Amino acid sequence: MIKYRFYPTLLNVFSRYVSGGNLSVQALIDTINRVPTPTTEAQERGISFEDAVVKGENEDRFDPDILRKVRKLLPRPIVDTQVYCQWEIDDVLFYGYVDLIGKFKAVDIKTTASYQANRYVHNHQNLYLHALKRRGIKLMEYVITDFTDVYVESYALTHPIEKQIEEIRLFKAFLEEHRPLITDKKIFADGD
């Protein structure tokens, strides 16, 4: 029976919190409660970049060589974009949207100010693979740019997910401990 509803961004913020990533309990509670925050310039640039790559919108804002390199790494054909995924993990409904899928791989386009190798090794979006395996998806790829170069991280269905599963367990305990502070009740399947 589903008791919780989690999405990757929320779980990744919690992961940053538990790993000592300079995030207060209040900031985490605000994220859980979806307290609105202004879109940063970096976030806006990332959204615009994805629209330029996938939809061809405002391409003139970006280096054409970077756009070309990213597009070469996308699956051909692109089967679908902004694909809804969900996967039941014990009493959790894990859900979200992956940028695009091909016949065998899902791709998420990422932008960053500075790239470090294996940045997405424990990203909760890797769980999309398990949500998409019925559709024949066997690989999750992150196509990443720092706007000077393009990088790829690939994770197969066999990639270990124990760390993410443990963080989901810890997050459930955190939610129960702080339940009176949670105002966005959608995270609880029972709504309260």
Side-chain angles (χ1 to χ4, degrees):
M1 184 170 151
I2 298 299
K3 291 177 154 182
Y4 306 93
R5 294 187 195 103
F6 300 161
Y7 53 94
T9 304
L10 180 59
L11 291 167
N12 288 330
V13 170
F14 180 72
S15 180
R16 206 171 93 221
Y17 169 78
V18 277
S19 64
N22 195 23
L23 190 72
S24 69
V25 170
Q26 188 57 55
L28 178 56
I29 298 287
D30 288 350
T31 300
I32 294 166
N33 288 331
R34 299 178 191 235
V35 173
T37 57
T39 302
T40 67
E41 193 175 313
Q43 289 169 327
E44 189 280 325
R45 188 174 190 205
I47 293 164
S48 294
F49 181 76
E50 185 180 321
D51 287 344
V53 169
V54 178
K55 302 175 187 170
E57 295 176 1
N58 299 310
E59 292 175 302
D60 56 327
R61 289 186 60 191
F62 304 100
D63 181 332
D65 288 335
I66 296 295
L67 287 170
R68 196 170 16 265
K69 283 181 183 179
V70 169
R71 286 180 178 140
K72 274 187 174 178
L73 295 167
L74 301 181
R76 293 285 175 227
I78 293 173
V79 173
D80 205 355
T81 60
Q82 292 303 307
V83 180
Y84 179 76
C85 310
Q86 69 177 41
W87 184 40
E88 289 184 22
I89 307 164
D90 297 324
D91 58 354
V92 172
L93 179 67
F94 171 82
Y95 69 95
Y97 291 87
V98 68
D99 288 343
L100 52 98
I101 60 170
K103 290 183 179 177
F104 305 107
K105 74 177 177 179
V107 174
D108 208 69
I109 300 167
K110 300 285 189 190
T111 58
T112 184
S114 130
Y115 174 70
Q116 300 86 36
N118 300 316
R119 183 175 185 162
Y120 299 97
V121 72
H122 296 297
N123 191 297
H124 286 271
Q125 283 180 286
N126 292 342
L127 300 177
Y128 284 156
L129 265 173
H130 299 273
L132 291 168
K133 69 181 174 187
R134 289 182 305 243
R135 292 185 72 166
I137 303 300
K138 296 175 172 56
L139 194 66
M140 178 71 197
E141 282 192 347
Y142 298 90
V143 177
I144 310 136
T145 187
D146 56 10
F147 300 103
T148 60
D149 205 352
V150 177
Y151 313 89
V152 177
E153 290 185 30
S154 298
Y155 299 99
L157 205 45
T158 54
H159 182 73
I161 58 171
E162 288 81 15
K163 185 176 191 296
Q164 290 97 320
I165 299 299
E166 175 62 11
E167 287 176 348
I168 286 172
R169 189 189 65 72
L170 292 171
F171 189 50
K172 291 191 292 185
F174 178 91
L175 287 173
E176 292 306 333
E177 183 182 338
H178 296 87
R179 197 170 186 126
L181 302 174
I182 309 299
T183 57
D184 185 349
K185 302 298 185 187
K186 288 184 276 190
I187 200 164
F188 301 110
D190 62 5
D192 58 34

PDB file of all heavy atoms in Angstrom, residues 23-49:
ATOM      1  N   LEU A  23      22.808  22.432   4.045  1.00  0.00           N
ATOM      2  CA  LEU A  23      21.369  22.627   3.895  1.00  0.00           C
ATOM      3  C   LEU A  23      20.742  22.468   5.284  1.00  0.00           C
ATOM      4  O   LEU A  23      20.946  21.456   5.949  1.00  0.00           O
ATOM      5  CB  LEU A  23      20.814  21.572   2.938  1.00  0.00           C
ATOM      6  CG  LEU A  23      19.388  21.749   2.468  1.00  0.00           C
ATOM      7  CD1 LEU A  23      19.283  22.912   1.475  1.00  0.00           C
ATOM      8  CD2 LEU A  23      18.904  20.477   1.791  1.00  0.00           C
ATOM      9  N   SER A  24      20.000  23.473   5.704  1.00  0.00           N
ATOM     10  CA  SER A  24      19.374  23.426   7.031  1.00  0.00           C
ATOM     11  C   SER A  24      18.108  22.577   6.998  1.00  0.00           C
ATOM     12  O   SER A  24      17.539  22.323   5.933  1.00  0.00           O
ATOM     13  CB  SER A  24      19.025  24.841   7.487  1.00  0.00           C
ATOM     14  OG  SER A  24      17.971  25.368   6.691  1.00  0.00           O
ATOM     15  N   VAL A  25      17.665  22.171   8.178  1.00  0.00           N
ATOM     16  CA  VAL A  25      16.399  21.449   8.296  1.00  0.00           C
ATOM     17  C   VAL A  25      15.277  22.310   7.717  1.00  0.00           C
ATOM     18  O   VAL A  25      14.423  21.822   6.970  1.00  0.00           O
ATOM     19  CB  VAL A  25      16.096  21.068   9.767  1.00  0.00           C
ATOM     20  CG1 VAL A  25      14.688  20.531   9.923  1.00  0.00           C
ATOM     21  CG2 VAL A  25      17.104  20.055  10.269  1.00  0.00           C
ATOM     22  N   GLN A  26      15.295  23.616   8.024  1.00  0.00           N
ATOM     23  CA  GLN A  26      14.237  24.503   7.529  1.00  0.00           C
ATOM     24  C   GLN A  26      14.242  24.583   6.009  1.00  0.00           C
ATOM     25  O   GLN A  26      13.180  24.569   5.379  1.00  0.00           O
ATOM     26  CB  GLN A  26      14.359  25.905   8.130  1.00  0.00           C
ATOM     27  CG  GLN A  26      13.173  26.805   7.788  1.00  0.00           C
ATOM     28  CD  GLN A  26      11.836  26.216   8.225  1.00  0.00           C
ATOM     29  OE1 GLN A  26      11.647  25.875   9.388  1.00  0.00           O
ATOM     30  NE2 GLN A  26      10.888  26.087   7.301  1.00  0.00           N
ATOM     31  N   ALA A  27      15.423  24.649   5.408  1.00  0.00           N
ATOM     32  CA  ALA A  27      15.499  24.692   3.937  1.00  0.00           C
ATOM     33  C   ALA A  27      14.939  23.404   3.333  1.00  0.00           C
ATOM     34  O   ALA A  27      14.235  23.441   2.319  1.00  0.00           O
ATOM     35  CB  ALA A  27      16.940  24.914   3.488  1.00  0.00           C
ATOM     36  N   LEU A  28      15.216  22.283   3.966  1.00  0.00           N
ATOM     37  CA  LEU A  28      14.666  21.009   3.495  1.00  0.00           C
ATOM     38  C   LEU A  28      13.151  20.986   3.667  1.00  0.00           C
ATOM     39  O   LEU A  28      12.427  20.584   2.748  1.00  0.00           O
ATOM     40  CB  LEU A  28      15.327  19.841   4.241  1.00  0.00           C
ATOM     41  CG  LEU A  28      14.822  18.449   3.879  1.00  0.00           C
ATOM     42  CD1 LEU A  28      14.946  18.165   2.391  1.00  0.00           C
ATOM     43  CD2 LEU A  28      15.580  17.399   4.695  1.00  0.00           C
ATOM     44  N   ILE A  29      12.660  21.429   4.804  1.00  0.00           N
ATOM     45  CA  ILE A  29      11.205  21.498   5.040  1.00  0.00           C
ATOM     46  C   ILE A  29      10.559  22.408   3.987  1.00  0.00           C
ATOM     47  O   ILE A  29       9.498  22.077   3.433  1.00  0.00           O
ATOM     48  CB  ILE A  29      10.889  22.005   6.471  1.00  0.00           C
ATOM     49  CG1 ILE A  29      11.432  21.048   7.532  1.00  0.00           C
ATOM     50  CG2 ILE A  29       9.400  22.269   6.656  1.00  0.00           C
ATOM     51  CD1 ILE A  29      10.703  19.751   7.697  1.00  0.00           C
ATOM     52  N   ASP A  30      11.182  23.527   3.691  1.00  0.00           N
ATOM     53  CA  ASP A  30      10.653  24.441   2.666  1.00  0.00           C
ATOM     54  C   ASP A  30      10.579  23.753   1.299  1.00  0.00           C
ATOM     55  O   ASP A  30       9.623  23.940   0.549  1.00  0.00           O
ATOM     56  CB  ASP A  30      11.505  25.713   2.563  1.00  0.00           C
ATOM     57  CG  ASP A  30      11.316  26.641   3.759  1.00  0.00           C
ATOM     58  OD1 ASP A  30      10.391  26.413   4.574  1.00  0.00           O
ATOM     59  OD2 ASP A  30      12.114  27.595   3.880  1.00  0.00           O
ATOM     60  N   THR A  31      11.597  22.943   0.986  1.00  0.00           N
ATOM     61  CA  THR A  31      11.583  22.205  -0.279  1.00  0.00           C
ATOM     62  C   THR A  31      10.439  21.201  -0.286  1.00  0.00           C
ATOM     63  O   THR A  31       9.700  21.096  -1.267  1.00  0.00           O
ATOM     64  CB  THR A  31      12.932  21.487  -0.504  1.00  0.00           C
ATOM     65  OG1 THR A  31      13.973  22.465  -0.536  1.00  0.00           O
ATOM     66  CG2 THR A  31      12.933  20.708  -1.803  1.00  0.00           C
ATOM     67  N   ILE A  32      10.284  20.467   0.819  1.00  0.00           N
ATOM     68  CA  ILE A  32       9.192  19.491   0.932  1.00  0.00           C
ATOM     69  C   ILE A  32       7.848  20.187   0.766  1.00  0.00           C
ATOM     70  O   ILE A  32       6.954  19.686   0.075  1.00  0.00           O
ATOM     71  CB  ILE A  32       9.258  18.760   2.299  1.00  0.00           C
ATOM     72  CG1 ILE A  32      10.517  17.901   2.384  1.00  0.00           C
ATOM     73  CG2 ILE A  32       7.996  17.936   2.545  1.00  0.00           C
ATOM     74  CD1 ILE A  32      10.852  17.425   3.794  1.00  0.00           C
ATOM     75  N   ASN A  33       7.707  21.361   1.369  1.00  0.00           N
ATOM     76  CA  ASN A  33       6.448  22.109   1.320  1.00  0.00           C
ATOM     77  C   ASN A  33       6.276  22.920   0.039  1.00  0.00           C
ATOM     78  O   ASN A  33       5.287  23.630  -0.110  1.00  0.00           O
ATOM     79  CB  ASN A  33       6.338  23.016   2.546  1.00  0.00           C
ATOM     80  CG  ASN A  33       6.074  22.225   3.808  1.00  0.00           C
ATOM     81  OD1 ASN A  33       5.476  21.155   3.775  1.00  0.00           O
ATOM     82  ND2 ASN A  33       6.550  22.742   4.938  1.00  0.00           N
ATOM     83  N   ARG A  34       7.235  22.814  -0.853  1.00  0.00           N
ATOM     84  CA  ARG A  34       7.203  23.514  -2.148  1.00  0.00           C
ATOM     85  C   ARG A  34       7.024  25.017  -1.972  1.00  0.00           C
ATOM     86  O   ARG A  34       6.245  25.662  -2.696  1.00  0.00           O
ATOM     87  CB  ARG A  34       6.123  22.943  -3.061  1.00  0.00           C
ATOM     88  CG  ARG A  34       6.322  21.478  -3.393  1.00  0.00           C
ATOM     89  CD  ARG A  34       5.190  20.965  -4.272  1.00  0.00           C
ATOM     90  NE  ARG A  34       5.207  19.521  -4.403  1.00  0.00           N
ATOM     91  CZ  ARG A  34       5.230  18.879  -5.561  1.00  0.00           C
ATOM     92  NH1 ARG A  34       5.254  19.538  -6.683  1.00  0.00           N
ATOM     93  NH2 ARG A  34       5.226  17.569  -5.600  1.00  0.00           N
ATOM     94  N   VAL A  35       7.742  25.561  -0.997  1.00  0.00           N
ATOM     95  CA  VAL A  35       7.724  27.008  -0.795  1.00  0.00           C
ATOM     96  C   VAL A  35       8.349  27.638  -2.038  1.00  0.00           C
ATOM     97  O   VAL A  35       9.464  27.277  -2.421  1.00  0.00           O
ATOM     98  CB  VAL A  35       8.509  27.404   0.481  1.00  0.00           C
ATOM     99  CG1 VAL A  35       8.636  28.914   0.599  1.00  0.00           C
ATOM    100  CG2 VAL A  35       7.823  26.818   1.717  1.00  0.00           C
ATOM    101  N   PRO A  36       7.627  28.537  -2.700  1.00  0.00           N
ATOM    102  CA  PRO A  36       8.142  29.109  -3.953  1.00  0.00           C
ATOM    103  C   PRO A  36       9.458  29.860  -3.734  1.00  0.00           C
ATOM    104  O   PRO A  36       9.620  30.582  -2.749  1.00  0.00           O
ATOM    105  CB  PRO A  36       7.044  30.078  -4.403  1.00  0.00           C
ATOM    106  CG  PRO A  36       5.835  29.718  -3.609  1.00  0.00           C
ATOM    107  CD  PRO A  36       6.313  29.069  -2.346  1.00  0.00           C
ATOM    108  N   THR A  37      10.364  29.645  -4.653  1.00  0.00           N
ATOM    109  CA  THR A  37      11.623  30.398  -4.665  1.00  0.00           C
ATOM    110  C   THR A  37      11.809  30.923  -6.080  1.00  0.00           C
ATOM    111  O   THR A  37      11.400  30.269  -7.042  1.00  0.00           O
ATOM    112  CB  THR A  37      12.829  29.520  -4.281  1.00  0.00           C
ATOM    113  OG1 THR A  37      12.886  28.397  -5.178  1.00  0.00           O
ATOM    114  CG2 THR A  37      12.735  29.019  -2.855  1.00  0.00           C
ATOM    115  N   PRO A  38      12.428  32.089  -6.206  1.00  0.00           N
ATOM    116  CA  PRO A  38      12.622  32.629  -7.549  1.00  0.00           C
ATOM    117  C   PRO A  38      13.533  31.715  -8.376  1.00  0.00           C
ATOM    118  O   PRO A  38      14.446  31.094  -7.833  1.00  0.00           O
ATOM    119  CB  PRO A  38      13.297  33.981  -7.307  1.00  0.00           C
ATOM    120  CG  PRO A  38      13.241  34.229  -5.837  1.00  0.00           C
ATOM    121  CD  PRO A  38      12.952  32.940  -5.161  1.00  0.00           C
ATOM    122  N   THR A  39      13.242  31.627  -9.648  1.00  0.00           N
ATOM    123  CA  THR A  39      14.103  30.875 -10.560  1.00  0.00           C
ATOM    124  C   THR A  39      15.423  31.616 -10.678  1.00  0.00           C
ATOM    125  O   THR A  39      15.444  32.820 -10.934  1.00  0.00           O
ATOM    126  CB  THR A  39      13.436  30.754 -11.953  1.00  0.00           C
ATOM    127  OG1 THR A  39      12.172  30.113 -11.786  1.00  0.00           O
ATOM    128  CG2 THR A  39      14.282  29.934 -12.912  1.00  0.00           C
ATOM    129  N   THR A  40      16.515  30.887 -10.475  1.00  0.00           N
ATOM    130  CA  THR A  40      17.826  31.518 -10.584  1.00  0.00           C
ATOM    131  C   THR A  40      18.194  31.692 -12.054  1.00  0.00           C
ATOM    132  O   THR A  40      17.614  31.046 -12.929  1.00  0.00           O
ATOM    133  CB  THR A  40      18.916  30.679  -9.888  1.00  0.00           C
ATOM    134  OG1 THR A  40      19.075  29.448 -10.626  1.00  0.00           O
ATOM    135  CG2 THR A  40      18.566  30.392  -8.437  1.00  0.00           C
ATOM    136  N   GLU A  41      19.173  32.531 -12.288  1.00  0.00           N
ATOM    137  CA  GLU A  41      19.663  32.734 -13.652  1.00  0.00           C
ATOM    138  C   GLU A  41      20.187  31.418 -14.233  1.00  0.00           C
ATOM    139  O   GLU A  41      19.946  31.104 -15.398  1.00  0.00           O
ATOM    140  CB  GLU A  41      20.770  33.793 -13.635  1.00  0.00           C
ATOM    141  CG  GLU A  41      21.141  34.300 -15.002  1.00  0.00           C
ATOM    142  CD  GLU A  41      22.150  35.440 -14.933  1.00  0.00           C
ATOM    143  OE1 GLU A  41      21.945  36.373 -14.121  1.00  0.00           O
ATOM    144  OE2 GLU A  41      23.138  35.379 -15.682  1.00  0.00           O
ATOM    145  N   ALA A  42      20.879  30.637 -13.413  1.00  0.00           N
ATOM    146  CA  ALA A  42      21.423  29.354 -13.863  1.00  0.00           C
ATOM    147  C   ALA A  42      20.297  28.380 -14.221  1.00  0.00           C
ATOM    148  O   ALA A  42      20.383  27.665 -15.231  1.00  0.00           O
ATOM    149  CB  ALA A  42      22.321  28.753 -12.794  1.00  0.00           C
ATOM    150  N   GLN A  43      19.226  28.341 -13.412  1.00  0.00           N
ATOM    151  CA  GLN A  43      18.091  27.465 -13.710  1.00  0.00           C
ATOM    152  C   GLN A  43      17.415  27.884 -15.011  1.00  0.00           C
ATOM    153  O   GLN A  43      17.079  27.040 -15.846  1.00  0.00           O
ATOM    154  CB  GLN A  43      17.073  27.497 -12.566  1.00  0.00           C
ATOM    155  CG  GLN A  43      17.546  26.800 -11.308  1.00  0.00           C
ATOM    156  CD  GLN A  43      16.632  27.085 -10.126  1.00  0.00           C
ATOM    157  OE1 GLN A  43      16.054  28.163  -9.994  1.00  0.00           O
ATOM    158  NE2 GLN A  43      16.510  26.107  -9.231  1.00  0.00           N
ATOM    159  N   GLU A  44      17.228  29.176 -15.181  1.00  0.00           N
ATOM    160  CA  GLU A  44      16.591  29.682 -16.401  1.00  0.00           C
ATOM    161  C   GLU A  44      17.438  29.337 -17.618  1.00  0.00           C
ATOM    162  O   GLU A  44      16.912  28.924 -18.652  1.00  0.00           O
ATOM    163  CB  GLU A  44      16.396  31.206 -16.286  1.00  0.00           C
ATOM    164  CG  GLU A  44      15.555  31.807 -17.399  1.00  0.00           C
ATOM    165  CD  GLU A  44      16.324  32.030 -18.702  1.00  0.00           C
ATOM    166  OE1 GLU A  44      17.512  32.358 -18.642  1.00  0.00           O
ATOM    167  OE2 GLU A  44      15.717  31.851 -19.785  1.00  0.00           O
ATOM    168  N   ARG A  45      18.757  29.472 -17.489  1.00  0.00           N
ATOM    169  CA  ARG A  45      19.646  29.155 -18.609  1.00  0.00           C
ATOM    170  C   ARG A  45      19.566  27.667 -18.951  1.00  0.00           C
ATOM    171  O   ARG A  45      19.569  27.283 -20.120  1.00  0.00           O
ATOM    172  CB  ARG A  45      21.080  29.551 -18.260  1.00  0.00           C
ATOM    173  CG  ARG A  45      22.021  29.435 -19.435  1.00  0.00           C
ATOM    174  CD  ARG A  45      23.392  29.971 -19.102  1.00  0.00           C
ATOM    175  NE  ARG A  45      24.205  30.059 -20.306  1.00  0.00           N
ATOM    176  CZ  ARG A  45      25.523  30.029 -20.300  1.00  0.00           C
ATOM    177  NH1 ARG A  45      26.190  29.958 -19.171  1.00  0.00           N
ATOM    178  NH2 ARG A  45      26.188  30.103 -21.435  1.00  0.00           N
ATOM    179  N   GLY A  46      19.472  26.810 -17.924  1.00  0.00           N
ATOM    180  CA  GLY A  46      19.353  25.373 -18.148  1.00  0.00           C
ATOM    181  C   GLY A  46      18.070  25.009 -18.870  1.00  0.00           C
ATOM    182  O   GLY A  46      18.072  24.202 -19.804  1.00  0.00           O
ATOM    183  N   ILE A  47      16.964  25.615 -18.462  1.00  0.00           N
ATOM    184  CA  ILE A  47      15.668  25.378 -19.111  1.00  0.00           C
ATOM    185  C   ILE A  47      15.722  25.849 -20.567  1.00  0.00           C
ATOM    186  O   ILE A  47      15.287  25.143 -21.484  1.00  0.00           O
ATOM    187  CB  ILE A  47      14.528  26.077 -18.336  1.00  0.00           C
ATOM    188  CG1 ILE A  47      14.347  25.431 -16.965  1.00  0.00           C
ATOM    189  CG2 ILE A  47      13.217  26.052 -19.127  1.00  0.00           C
ATOM    190  CD1 ILE A  47      13.526  26.258 -15.976  1.00  0.00           C
ATOM    191  N   SER A  48      16.282  27.035 -20.786  1.00  0.00           N
ATOM    192  CA  SER A  48      16.393  27.573 -22.145  1.00  0.00           C
ATOM    193  C   SER A  48      17.282  26.700 -23.020  1.00  0.00           C
ATOM    194  O   SER A  48      17.005  26.501 -24.203  1.00  0.00           O
ATOM    195  CB  SER A  48      16.957  28.996 -22.123  1.00  0.00           C
ATOM    196  OG  SER A  48      16.048  29.862 -21.495  1.00  0.00           O
ATOM    197  N   PHE A  49      18.371  26.172 -22.420  1.00  0.00           N
ATOM    198  CA  PHE A  49      19.274  25.315 -23.181  1.00  0.00           C
ATOM    199  C   PHE A  49      18.550  24.045 -23.628  1.00  0.00           C
ATOM    200  O   PHE A  49      18.643  23.643 -24.781  1.00  0.00           O
ATOM    201  CB  PHE A  49      20.523  24.961 -22.361  1.00  0.00           C
ATOM    202  CG  PHE A  49      21.489  24.111 -23.120  1.00  0.00           C
ATOM    203  CD1 PHE A  49      22.296  24.669 -24.097  1.00  0.00           C
ATOM    204  CD2 PHE A  49      21.582  22.747 -22.885  1.00  0.00           C
ATOM    205  CE1 PHE A  49      23.179  23.884 -24.829  1.00  0.00           C
ATOM    206  CE2 PHE A  49      22.455  21.958 -23.600  1.00  0.00           C
ATOM    207  CZ  PHE A  49      23.266  22.526 -24.576  1.00  0.00           C
TER     208      PHE A  49
END
